[in-house]
Amino acid sequence: MLETIPLVCKAWRDILKKDQFWQILCSLMFTKRSEVKPTDFPSFKKYFISAFKSQEKRTYLPTLNQVMTLHIGGAGINLGLDFWDILGMEHHNGSDTEYEKRVFFSETIKGTFEPRSLFIDSNDETFSESKQTSIFSRSTSILHNNSTSCIDFWTGYSNVGTSMCSRSMEQMRRWMEKDGKPQAIMLMHSTGGGAGAGVTARILQKIRDQKLGKTISVSIYPHLRYEGNVGFLSNTSVATYNSILAMDYLSQYSDYVFTLDNEKLFSMPAQFWGTRIGDRFDTKILNFIPSHALADIACSLRNEIRSFDLNAFDLFPTLNHLSLSHAPIYPPEQSLEPSVPEITAAACQSTHFLSKCSPNLPWSSAILNFRGHLAPKDVMAAFGYIRSRRLLPTLDWSNGRMLCLMNYERPVYPILNELIYPMRRRVTIVGNNMSAGYLPQELLDHSQPLIKNRAFFHHMLRAGFEEEQLFESVHNIQIIANTYDEALAPSPDEENEGENEGEI
């Protein structure tokens, strides 16, 4: 193009002869180049030609699997803090490549990396105890409305959700203008709270309408049963209604839902460490296992070669709730390092799942994500053992894909010698198990007496409560429960084969 300029205008011929023009051009295009110095060349023109040719031969990084994380509500923020503590240690230990750093982190003008995350809540009380955390060093990381805490879905969806959604979408658009469209948007929240249910539903709906990318919802379902002297572990009286409405929106607007059950999470400390969460509520203990399981998934998401493929899950309409398992989990006095087959067999047990999952029920798809000090032959032997013994049986009428990923990055433990013995290897199982149908059925069973007696309706009337929307969500949840039952029902061919065998 520069060669044709003198043909168009004779005045440009004199301009191109001046070295000052080429100096300005070099300062505009090669400000970050330090390999070639202009003093090594007789003129800026020859420097520009040399630098331009070397830039054409430069190998660029492949398309990044960028991930945005949104932590909404009190439970989502507490889980996000532990999650980013692990990611921060993995980022600062120097093992990340230039590609891996840019998946969860965004590069600033100064050349440093900052987390691509947002912490959203209705008021500032949730952040008061966590202001010293490095993740909150930027003002754009925190979004709150300076209002009273919302406990119901309608307040979070309509009143608080309108302003919070617009502000969060504005920040996400800034990231996309700077780093490009993300591969996935991860949202951590609780379905029992007003902000975790209502604001999340509003943001999910906006992301789907604007087609910003795939969404991964890490949804914490509340503990609705009575637990002795502790009482109901859910801190809101309308947690059942919030969970029903949140599940309805998750099934419609979220692509993948990682299911965490508080009832199961509360029982795991007593089971593995002998620590019972009672009057002293410690979120570090409660979020320890989920944060490490999500960190293993994040480690595979930022891997350039062995990336976590979100398209591997064989999902069906409304059946997007995935189960998670994490192993090994040993107390601090454990001194023996378990082998790969041992941790794989432990991960296939119901005690290691983060929700009330029955691994013996069929799976439509699953991914075994190994991490740490591994030998490929041991991993393949353990994977073959699972397939031969049918520890994770697959549905006969689906593809039944079982994938195996290996990541050689060693796990990190922010809390040492307190909760768990640091292991050199571990495995996380993510899959679509048909036992996830217990969640919609449990919500329906718990909501029927409440709706029949119109319990707590007066708390929600002031926030724009609509009974028709609640009844419609209950109907949709019933359809989801029936879909899981139909998936477990035997096919007509199997029934005919059973009848023929009985006749013989």
Side-chain angles (χ1 to χ4, degrees):
M1 181 179 177
L2 294 174
E3 296 175 356
T4 58
I5 289 177
L7 301 177
V8 178
C9 181
K10 292 183 179 181
W12 274 100
R13 191 176 302 172
D14 299 332
I15 296 176
L16 293 175
K17 290 180 180 180
K18 296 180 180 179
D19 199 43
Q20 186 179 2
F21 169 79
W22 297 100
Q23 182 180 2
I24 296 172
L25 201 62
C26 290
S27 63
L28 292 175
M29 297 191 65
F30 309 120
T31 53
K32 295 183 179 181
R33 289 188 58 86
S34 60
E35 304 91 0
V36 184
K37 296 181 180 180
T39 55
D40 299 337
F41 294 87
S43 63
F44 278 97
K45 179 179 179 180
K46 291 190 176 182
Y47 166 65
F48 177 83
I49 295 173
S50 175
F52 188 78
K53 288 181 179 179
S54 62
Q55 192 183 44
E56 286 181 340
K57 298 178 182 179
R58 182 183 176 185
T59 57
Y60 292 92
L61 291 172
T63 304
L64 297 176
N65 297 329
Q66 297 171 0
V67 179
M68 298 179 185
T69 58
L70 280 70
H71 311 276
I72 307 170
I77 290 172
N78 290 325
L79 179 60
L81 290 176
D82 296 335
F83 171 76
W84 278 103
D85 282 344
I86 301 172
L87 259 64
M89 290 186 64
E90 294 176 352
H91 170 65
H92 290 296
N93 63 5
S95 61
D96 288 353
T97 63
E98 190 72 18
Y99 176 91
E100 294 173 346
K101 288 179 181 179
R102 298 175 184 274
V103 176
F104 283 90
F105 293 84
S106 178
E107 188 176 5
T108 61
I109 302 176
K110 299 179 181 179
T112 59
F113 290 90
E114 61 181 15
R116 200 181 292 111
S117 62
L118 277 177
F119 292 82
I120 305 169
D121 202 3
S122 57
N123 54 8
D124 195 22
E125 295 178 1
T126 311
F127 310 104
S128 58
E129 299 179 359
S130 306
K131 287 290 187 181
Q132 303 300 326
T133 311
S134 60
I135 194 72
F136 290 147
S137 59
R138 298 178 299 117
S139 60
T140 55
S141 297
I142 303 175
L143 294 179
H144 58 85
N145 204 28
N146 291 328
S147 62
T148 57
S149 59
C150 56
I151 62 172
D152 58 89
F153 178 88
W154 288 271
T155 304
Y157 182 81
S158 58
N159 300 341
V160 180
T162 304
S163 59
M164 301 304 295
C165 180
S166 60
R167 293 168 62 186
S168 60
M169 296 300 292
E170 182 181 355
Q171 178 61 32
M172 291 168 65
R173 276 191 288 270
R174 291 198 197 102
W175 283 331
M176 282 187 287
E177 292 174 359
K178 179 181 178 182
D179 303 327
K181 188 176 181 180
Q183 179 205 19
I185 302 173
M186 183 179 292
L187 299 93
M188 300 184 188
H189 68 104
S190 172
T191 61
V199 177
T200 304
R202 189 85 175 194
I203 294 177
L204 282 173
Q205 190 176 11
K206 200 73 173 178
I207 292 174
R208 177 64 63 86
D209 294 341
Q210 298 186 7
K211 299 179 181 180
L212 300 182
K214 291 186 177 182
T215 54
I216 304 174
S217 300
V218 183
S219 303
I220 306 172
Y221 282 85
H223 192 328
L224 300 175
R225 298 183 181 181
Y226 191 78
E227 188 72 15
N229 58 352
V230 183
F232 288 103
L233 295 179
S234 177
N235 58 355
T236 59
S237 56
V238 292
T240 305
Y241 300 142
N242 296 340
S243 299
I244 288 177
L245 291 160
M247 178 178 278
D248 185 18
Y249 275 84
L250 288 171
S251 62
Q252 295 181 40
Y253 298 105
S254 183
D255 295 299
Y256 310 96
V257 182
F258 292 168
T259 306
L260 305 179
D261 191 351
N262 256 350
E263 185 176 353
K264 183 65 178 295
L265 295 178
F266 268 81
S267 64
M268 294 181 81
Q271 178 182 353
F272 293 107
W273 306 310
T275 304
R276 187 177 184 278
I277 299 179
D279 298 329
R280 185 180 65 86
F281 183 80
D282 193 350
T283 57
K284 287 290 183 183
I285 298 176
L286 191 64
N287 296 329
F288 186 83
I289 301 175
S291 60
H292 279 273
L294 294 173
D296 288 353
I297 297 173
C299 182
S300 295
L301 279 173
R302 67 174 184 264
N303 195 296
E304 182 178 354
I305 302 174
R306 296 169 295 274
S307 181
F308 193 90
D309 189 9
L310 295 173
N311 298 320
F313 296 109
D314 193 7
L315 298 179
F316 304 95
T318 69
L319 302 185
N320 58 352
H321 281 63
L322 306 177
S323 302
L324 276 76
S325 176
H326 184 71
I329 305 172
Y330 288 128
E333 58 270 12
Q334 176 72 23
S335 59
L336 298 177
E337 186 76 23
S339 61
V340 175
E342 289 176 350
I343 65 174
T344 308
C348 296
Q349 299 176 4
S350 60
T351 54
H352 285 71
F353 278 85
L354 306 185
S355 58
K356 290 182 287 187
C357 178
S358 299
N360 297 328
L361 292 179
W363 297 70
S364 65
S365 57
I367 294 179
L368 281 74
N369 185 25
F370 292 90
R371 180 184 180 184
H373 187 268
L374 304 167
K377 61 177 183 179
D378 296 337
V379 174
M380 297 310 298
F383 189 69
Y385 178 79
I386 291 177
R387 297 299 298 265
S388 61
R389 296 298 182 92
R390 292 182 61 85
L391 296 180
L392 301 177
T394 58
L395 286 171
D396 297 331
W397 48 267
S398 69
N399 295 333
R401 287 180 290 182
M402 304 285 291
L403 301 181
C404 178
L405 293 178
M406 288 183 291
N407 197 308
Y408 299 105
E409 183 179 343
R410 185 167 180 173
V412 297
Y413 293 88
I415 306 175
L416 292 178
N417 302 323
E418 294 184 10
L419 295 178
I420 195 171
Y421 180 77
M423 298 293 176
R424 294 189 301 166
R425 64 180 69 93
R426 60 194 188 192
V427 60
T428 302
I429 299 178
V430 185
N432 191 9
N433 184 258
M434 294 298 104
S435 63
Y438 84 92
L439 271 174
Q441 191 60 48
E442 188 177 85
L443 289 175
L444 290 172
D445 296 340
H446 199 273
S447 64
Q448 284 179 357
L450 296 176
I451 296 176
K452 183 179 180 180
N453 297 319
R454 301 176 61 85
F456 307 115
F457 276 24
H458 59 284
H459 287 294
M460 302 176 289
L461 289 174
R462 288 173 291 182
F465 168 60
E466 297 179 0
E467 295 186 19
E468 295 180 357
Q469 184 180 0
L470 178 61
F471 295 149
E472 183 180 355
S473 297
V474 170
H475 176 69
N476 295 336
I477 299 300
Q478 185 64 58
I479 293 175
I480 296 174
N482 295 338
T483 307
Y484 275 104
D485 294 338
E486 292 174 0
L488 290 173
S491 60
D493 297 336
E494 295 178 356
E495 294 179 354
N496 295 333
E497 291 177 1
E499 293 176 358
N500 295 334
E501 290 177 0
E503 292 175 359
I504 294 173

